[in-house]
Amino acid sequence: YAAAKGVLIIHSAGNEAKLNTSTNNFPNKYVKISLAGEIQNWIEVGASSEKKGLELPAAFSNYGKESVDIFAPGYKVISTIPDNQYAAYSGTSMAGPCVAAVGALILSQHPEMSGSEVRSLIRGSARPYADLQVWQPTEGEEQKSVLFDSLSSTGGISDVFTALKRAL
C-alpha cells in the first residue's frame, strides 16, 4: 500500500552477516505490486561500524550488491529508551533510521519530491568507498577481504550533508 502511494520505504537489511537475496530476506523490494516488479521507492540499508578501513562494515550486517542499497551508521548508536533514558544499540535497525532521517530532512525542504526521487537523491549522494578493502561480514567463518563497493549497489555510506547540498 505504502509503495503504491509513493512513500519512501526504508528497510533494514538484517543482522545475520549474510548475503541478502530476493528470496531470503522478507519483506524486500522485489515484492510484486500487481505486475510492476521491483519497488522503486525502497531503500535497503546495511550497517556500518564506527571504524574505517577493513572494519567499516559492521561485522553483523547483511549485504548484497543486488539487494542492499546503502550503508549507514549502525554500531553503538545512542537511542532513547523508556523512563527518559538513553542506551547504545547496534544493528541494521539502527542504520535504517539514519537513512530515514536523511529522507525526512530532504522532504522538509522539498515536500513536492516523490519517494523515488528522494531515494535517487540519497543513493546518488552516498559517500563512495569503491577502492576500500574491507572484511566481508561473516558469522563464524574465516574473514575474507572484499571491496566495500561489492557489499551494496552504491558502494557507499549515507551522507546527509551531500544529500542536502544536492537537493538545493
Side-chain angles (χ1 to χ4, degrees), residues 64-140:
K65 185 78 171 169
E66 302 290 323
S67 57
V68 174
D69 293 294
I70 197 165
F71 276 69
Y75 183 77
K76 293 188 179 179
V77 176
I78 302 297
S79 181
T80 56
I81 60 174
D83 297 322
N84 213 18
Q85 301 289 314
Y86 299 91
Y89 292 102
S90 297
T92 58
S93 291
M94 300 308 290
C98 291
V99 176
V102 175
L105 287 168
I106 292 167
L107 286 170
S108 73
Q109 299 300 308
H110 300 281
E112 74 285 353
M113 290 181 78
S114 69
S116 59
E117 289 171 326
V118 175
R119 175 187 185 264
S120 180
L121 183 56
I122 290 171
R123 286 174 43 83
S125 62
R127 181 173 298 167
Y129 290 95
D131 297 327
L132 179 65
Q133 288 286 326
V134 298
W135 294 125
Q136 179 177 299
T138 182
E139 190 172 289

